[in-house]
Amino acid sequence: MPKISNKGHQMPESPIRKLVPYAEGAKKRGVKVYHLNIGQPDIKTPEVALQAVKNFDIKVLEYSHSAGFESYRNKLSAYYKTHTLPVEPQDIIITTGGSEALMFALGSTLDQGDEVIIPEPFYANYNGFATASGVTVVPVISGIETGFALPPIEAFEALITPKTKAILICNPGNPTGYLYSKEEIEKLAEIVKKHDLFLIADEVYREFAYDGLQHHSVLNITGLEQHAIMIDSVSKRYSMCGARIGCIVSKNKELMATAMKFAQARLSPPTYAQVASEAALDTPQSYFDEVITEYKDRRDTLIAEMQKIEGVTIATPKGAFYCIAKLPVKNADDFAQWLLESYDFNGETVMVAPAAGFYSTPGVGLDEVRIAYVLKKEDLIKSVAILKEALEVYPN
């Protein structure tokens, strides 16, 4: 029979979704599964976005411009400016989710065999995007003992080779929830300018910053205009994961002209989703104030409950809605599967994301899991109680 491509064989499985069949099996057995494994918010999508789609009266569902609706880009530019980001409409290309924006960024900046440095653990799909682009991920490891802070700049410089073309960060971080300080962003800015690299920043969790801390964008750094590429998305900000609308943003005109060629090749982003996303920009600030308060409460609840479990180490996130926990198990993949396949506590169990899939360094993160605190507090408390009971009886 015909052979599958080497690239196809090398594409990594999602550490988040590969356990889905086991979760489905548990549900078929009548077991309730608490999903701590995926960043799907339970927060309601802004009504203004849903109503815009319901009221959108058209006769023909046409292509949009390859860069997205001009009206949406104008409105998005105004939104960024309210966040002190100097973004003009021509600096924006609307994409089919933040994922496509990342693919456009990698495709526009790196050739086959080039290298991108990424602090790990990192969003698992970065591995997949890199593989699909023929790009090599060079990891620089951050640790739970520092709360996953930026590794020393010396660690980055030691990894730079003639093949290095970019550094990619997620800020605030998925899966760690780490929020980079202004000083850390400035250090990265200096190194990319020194070595003439691109700095790609996945900033989809910008609004989710806690404890009075402020998000610092790569677009706010003077002198970085030709180096900085920002990735954004409506998925988490407006609880609109299914809309699949994101954008790539940069002041670098040559970069954006190149990204536009990729955008033209896929024709255009989806029309109805753009309608919803444009309308979502009218969401009142009160919505975000309530959401941030809710997530901070959930974070505090989760951390407090997890810290009660003997042998567990957990880093307190400063942003997003994820955290990494080190468990007293040898292999979190096996433990996560066992939770779904062989265990329940009073007819209930939990689903977590094994953290090894968020690293590209072999053998790292084997005893860690990512937890998404996207459930209401009562369910988080119940989930951690189940996890505690499970760890006590798990045949490690």
Side-chain angles (χ1 to χ4, degrees):
M1 61 178 286
K3 289 185 177 181
I4 301 300
S5 68
N6 288 331
K7 184 184 290 184
H9 284 300
Q10 291 165 6
M11 279 293 288
E13 274 189 300
S14 167
I16 307 164
R17 297 177 183 269
K18 69 180 181 181
L19 294 171
V20 167
Y22 299 103
E24 292 171 341
K27 292 172 185 177
K28 286 177 182 177
R29 297 194 307 273
V31 176
K32 180 174 181 178
V33 178
Y34 289 96
H35 287 272
L36 302 177
N37 63 301
I38 192 166
Q40 172 58 66
D42 65 351
I43 303 295
K44 287 186 177 180
T45 302
E47 189 63 26
V48 65
L50 300 177
Q51 287 300 323
V53 173
K54 291 178 183 177
N55 298 329
F56 188 53
D57 185 19
I58 56 170
K59 304 302 180 188
V60 179
L61 192 56
E62 300 175 331
Y63 292 121
S64 75
H65 191 288
S66 291
F69 293 166
E70 183 178 9
S71 57
Y72 181 30
R73 286 181 283 123
N74 286 335
K75 205 168 176 181
L76 201 50
S77 168
Y79 156 80
Y80 287 130
K81 287 175 181 176
T82 64
H83 287 72
T84 70
L85 303 183
V87 176
E88 302 299 331
Q90 63 267 26
D91 303 328
I92 304 169
I93 294 176
I94 306 302
T95 57
T96 308
S99 299
E100 187 176 70
L102 279 159
M103 291 292 287
F104 287 1
L106 292 176
S108 299
T109 59
L110 293 102
D111 287 314
Q112 187 97 8
D114 281 343
E115 298 172 349
V116 55
I117 298 174
I118 314 178
E120 63 176 359
F122 51 73
Y123 176 45
N125 281 334
Y126 293 166
N127 271 326
F129 300 149
T131 300
S133 302
V135 170
T136 300
V137 170
V138 177
V140 54
I141 299 178
S142 60
I144 197 168
E145 62 281 351
T146 65
F148 300 102
L150 185 75
I153 290 301
E154 294 77 16
F156 283 89
E157 295 220 85
L159 297 172
I160 293 174
T161 75
K163 290 186 176 182
T164 307
K165 296 296 187 295
I167 293 173
L168 168 59
I169 63 170
C170 187
N171 182 34
N174 173 10
T176 64
Y178 186 76
L179 182 69
Y180 288 95
S181 67
K182 184 179 181 182
E183 292 71 27
E184 287 173 317
I185 296 296
E186 288 174 341
K187 285 180 181 178
L188 286 171
E190 287 305 312
I191 196 171
V192 298
K193 286 190 287 185
K194 177 181 176 181
H195 295 277
D196 204 21
L197 308 175
F198 286 100
L199 178 56
I200 306 170
D202 182 344
E203 299 185 0
V204 304
Y205 297 96
R206 179 185 303 103
E207 260 81 7
F208 301 94
Y210 311 122
D211 306 322
L213 297 174
Q214 183 180 349
H215 175 264
H216 298 282
S217 173
V218 295
L219 295 182
N220 273 136
I221 305 296
T222 303
L224 206 62
E225 292 81 5
Q226 300 307 306
H227 302 265
I229 304 170
M230 185 183 76
I231 306 300
D232 208 351
S233 167
V234 303
S235 291
K236 316 300 181 178
R237 182 173 303 129
Y238 304 108
S239 195
M240 288 171 54
C241 295
R244 308 314 307 135
I245 290 292
C247 61
I248 178 172
V249 183
S250 180
K251 306 295 287 186
N252 184 317
K253 289 182 169 52
E254 185 179 8
L255 177 281
M256 293 303 287
T258 304
M260 177 58 79
K261 291 188 281 187
F262 286 90
Q264 290 168 343
R266 64 80 165 102
L267 304 183
S268 66
T271 295
Y272 274 105
Q274 287 185 83
V275 169
S277 300
E278 182 175 335
L281 289 167
D282 293 326
T283 302
Q285 183 58 40
S286 58
Y287 172 90
F288 298 107
D289 294 341
E290 291 172 10
V291 168
I292 294 304
T293 299
E294 177 65 23
Y295 275 124
K296 183 183 180 300
D297 287 348
R298 292 179 180 187
R299 179 202 66 173
D300 293 346
T301 298
L302 175 69
I303 297 299
E305 295 301 311
M306 289 292 289
Q307 287 176 337
K308 296 176 184 177
I309 304 178
E310 187 177 351
V312 168
T313 301
I314 190 164
T316 301
K318 299 177 181 179
F321 38 68
Y322 307 101
C323 64
I324 292 285
K326 185 185 287 287
L327 304 181
V329 300
K330 293 177 182 176
N331 189 301
D333 271 279
D334 292 343
F335 176 64
Q337 183 174 328
W338 175 83
L339 281 170
L340 298 169
E341 196 174 31
S342 307
Y343 177 80
D344 72 87
F345 181 68
N346 296 330
E348 298 179 329
T349 192
V350 295
M351 187 175 182
V352 294
F358 296 93
Y359 293 85
S360 63
T361 302
V364 178
L366 292 177
D367 58 353
E368 296 175 355
V369 296
R370 185 194 74 169
I371 296 175
Y373 46 95
V374 293
L375 305 180
K376 57 187 179 181
K377 286 188 287 186
E378 310 90 88
D379 287 346
L380 286 173
I381 292 170
K382 192 174 290 187
S383 298
V384 177
I386 294 169
L387 199 58
K388 180 178 183 294
E389 294 291 334
L391 285 168
E392 290 177 358
V393 299
Y394 177 59
N396 200 0

